[in-house]
Amino acid sequence: MAIKLADIQKVLIIGSGTLGLRIGLQSALSGFDTTIYDINEKAFDSARKIQASILKSLVDKKLITAEKSAEALQRIRFTLDPAEAAKDADFVSESVLEELAVKKKVWSQFATLCPPQTIFTTNTSYLLPSWFAAETGRPGLFCAFHFHDVFFANVVDIMPHAATEPWVIDLLMEMGKKLNQTPVFVKKESNGYIFNAMLMALIGAAGSLVTNEVSSIEDVDRSWMGNFKMPSGPFGILDTIGLDTAWHVTNNQTDQKSQKFAALLKTYVDAGKLGVKTGEGFYKYPNPAYMKENFVQQS
């Protein structure tokens, strides 16, 4: 039986990382009772702090009221208990590590814990939903529902696999709008959806320029920023995405160019330099060099 948007009351977010915490916050702001599940309790402290910071920014910019901010926080709960998290969930959004084995394990677990009518969605950046649809136990109710930044870049990709029920796609188009996103439909499975496919072409070219010693990280960014008058370049963008996420995506590619760049990214990941979220990646934060007034001109 097809589920309508009005039937969705309780949302479960699996993973409280960079995107999971943001999807969960937007879910709560949109009026859904929201549970955020993770296996790491320390991640909750970080998630709460970032959510509070986002809400403060939204209130300061008069995008929401202080009352709405407080109401949203009341709708969010965090738990380490998967059974508790899954109970009565109407809709699930998964944002765990970008590794196929991990996603298969997570979906196999929640397939047995969630009610049979629960809609399952994955926020995977590059893996195809058909690769782990069987593990969900409900391929017809499973679809990729991929967010970007949620609050700044508020686009959500809807990418079904061959077995996804057509009505689920329609529901997700509505859900995307309810979550204050611009939903875009990806007609068939494609690594990287729409924007990420274009972005990875840029990132891949930037990485090749550096690994082949054609240019430096800073000059690649200067070229992009100077020509397009953009606030950051490819490596500044990578710091925002997270170098661990970028490594997982790049390392899954088998071509020599990608593997060479993955090796460079791995040196940063091994050093704990994951980008903005750790305070250092290709640049140091909160005041990266590319944000300085004279970065492009080098004056």
Side-chain angles (χ1 to χ4, degrees):
M1 183 178 70
I3 293 172
K4 300 183 183 301
L5 183 61
D7 298 324
I8 298 175
Q9 302 296 321
K10 297 183 178 180
V11 170
L12 167 59
I13 309 297
I14 303 176
S16 64
T18 302
L19 276 172
L21 70 89
R22 286 169 170 80
I23 299 168
L25 180 57
Q26 182 58 66
S27 169
L29 282 167
S30 300
F32 298 106
D33 290 330
T34 304
T35 299
I36 300 178
Y37 165 79
D38 207 308
I39 59 173
N40 180 8
E41 189 169 14
K42 289 183 179 179
F44 293 157
D45 293 333
S46 176
R48 288 188 179 98
K49 289 177 183 176
I50 294 172
Q51 286 178 339
S53 176
I54 292 171
L55 287 171
K56 182 179 184 304
S57 176
L58 293 175
V59 171
D60 289 345
K61 293 176 181 177
K62 301 188 185 314
L63 296 173
I64 63 171
T65 63
E67 290 75 17
K68 187 169 183 179
S69 170
E71 289 170 2
L73 288 177
Q74 290 297 314
R75 294 192 190 100
I76 300 174
R77 68 187 184 103
F78 294 84
T79 182
L80 298 169
D81 185 337
E84 179 188 349
K87 184 181 180 182
D88 299 329
D90 300 311
F91 187 96
V92 178
S93 172
E94 166 266 310
S95 291
V96 301
L97 196 63
E98 194 72 359
E99 288 187 3
L100 184 58
V102 174
K103 291 189 183 291
K104 284 186 173 185
K105 180 180 179 181
V106 167
W107 282 118
S108 294
Q109 178 184 25
F110 280 89
T112 63
L113 295 175
C114 289
Q117 74 276 12
T118 306
I119 303 297
F120 281 178
T121 67
T122 178
N123 188 47
T124 178
S125 298
Y126 207 79
L127 303 176
L128 299 181
S130 61
W131 294 352
F132 47 101
E135 281 73 17
T136 69
R138 64 199 76 194
L141 305 185
F142 177 60
C143 188
F145 195 51
H146 171 253
F147 295 79
H148 294 261
D149 171 80
V150 182
F151 291 99
F152 175 71
N154 57 328
V155 172
V156 65
D157 302 286
I158 297 165
M159 186 172 74
H161 61 101
T164 304
E165 294 283 355
W167 65 262
V168 172
I169 298 167
D170 296 336
L171 173 65
L172 292 180
M173 293 295 286
E174 291 185 69
M175 186 67 167
K177 293 175 184 176
K178 177 73 173 177
L179 294 172
N180 197 35
Q181 307 296 299
T182 297
V184 295
F185 180 54
V186 185
K187 294 191 287 185
K188 63 180 182 180
E189 286 188 308
S190 177
N191 296 101
Y193 305 90
I194 300 172
F195 177 77
N196 278 6
M198 296 186 287
L199 177 62
M200 288 310 297
L202 166 66
I203 296 301
S208 182
L209 287 168
V210 170
T211 57
N212 288 325
E213 300 182 348
V214 174
S215 188
S216 68
I217 288 168
E218 293 78 9
D219 279 342
V220 168
D221 279 356
R222 285 190 184 98
S223 179
W224 185 261
M225 294 166 67
N227 277 293
F228 283 99
K229 310 307 177 192
M230 301 293 283
S232 62
F235 290 96
I237 293 171
L238 275 169
D239 274 353
T240 302
I241 294 170
L243 303 194
D244 50 344
T245 298
W247 176 77
H248 282 296
V249 172
T250 308
N251 194 52
N252 281 328
Q253 309 309 303
T254 57
D255 61 284
Q256 186 178 5
K257 183 177 78 171
S258 295
Q259 286 297 307
K260 199 170 182 179
F261 187 33
L264 172 63
L265 289 168
K266 190 67 162 56
T267 63
Y268 286 84
V269 173
D270 288 346
K273 299 177 180 180
L274 308 183
V276 175
K277 59 187 174 184
T278 59
E280 185 174 358
F282 291 112
Y283 298 93
K284 292 184 178 181
Y285 297 85
N287 300 303
Y290 64 79
M291 289 184 67
K292 294 180 180 177
E293 189 175 350
N294 64 349
F295 177 75
V296 174
Q297 291 80 12
Q298 301 187 70
S299 58

